[in-house]
């Protein structure tokens, strides 16, 4: 279940992120002093923040599951548990950033 969810999430996120980069702004709506321009600039900034979180999630998840750090599950349980905790905190933070980016444009 975990593998299927990360594959689906990665595919969907990559698609939407690519679309967000390709989306033109011919009217330069993010320029100016208005509230909408300010929200759009913040939305674009948050885009890069949650991209960093998604990449960190992907790296940490693969590193833990594929044993990139050379940690033994029996003898290095505390280190693996700490990595799993970091993975979870990064995930929750990324979820918050992505939610904030969506809420800014919705409300």
């Amino acid at each position: 279940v975990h593998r299927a969810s990360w594959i689906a999430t990665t595919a969907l996120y990559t698609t939407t992120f690519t679309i967000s980069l390709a989306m033109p702004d011919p009217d330069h709506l993010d320029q100016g002093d208005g509230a909408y321009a300010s929200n759009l600039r913040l939305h674009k900034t948050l885009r890069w923040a949650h991209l960093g979180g998604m990449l960190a999630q992907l790296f940490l998840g693969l590193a833990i599951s594929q044993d990139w750090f050379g940690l033994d599950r029996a003898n290095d349980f505390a280190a693996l548990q700490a990595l799993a905790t970091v993975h979870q905190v990064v995930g929750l933070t990324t979820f918050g950033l992505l939610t904030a980016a969506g809420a800014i444009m919705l409300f």
Side-chain angles (χ1 to χ4, degrees):
V1 172
H2 200 115
R3 181 178 297 180
S5 68
W6 80 256
I7 290 171
T9 301
T10 301
L12 292 170
Y13 183 83
T14 301
T15 301
T16 57
F17 189 84
T18 302
I19 290 170
S20 79
L21 286 179
M23 188 175 290
D25 185 13
D27 295 331
H28 306 289
L29 295 175
D30 64 343
Q31 298 173 3
D33 296 329
Y36 186 80
S38 176
N39 284 348
L40 190 55
R41 283 192 301 272
L42 181 57
H43 179 76
K44 288 181 175 185
T45 301
L46 287 172
R47 169 178 60 189
W48 295 106
H50 58 70
L51 173 66
M54 291 297 278
L55 292 174
Q57 273 294 86
L58 187 60
F59 172 77
L60 280 169
L62 287 172
I64 293 167
S65 68
Q66 301 300 315
D67 195 27
W68 290 355
F69 299 119
L71 299 173
D72 180 38
R73 294 203 182 272
N75 297 322
D76 299 317
F77 180 75
L80 286 169
Q81 191 173 25
L83 284 171
T85 301
V86 169
H87 180 65
Q88 187 172 23
V89 168
V90 168
L92 291 171
T93 303
T94 303
F95 175 73
L97 290 168
L98 192 54
T99 302
I104 286 169
M105 296 312 291
L106 189 61
F107 299 111

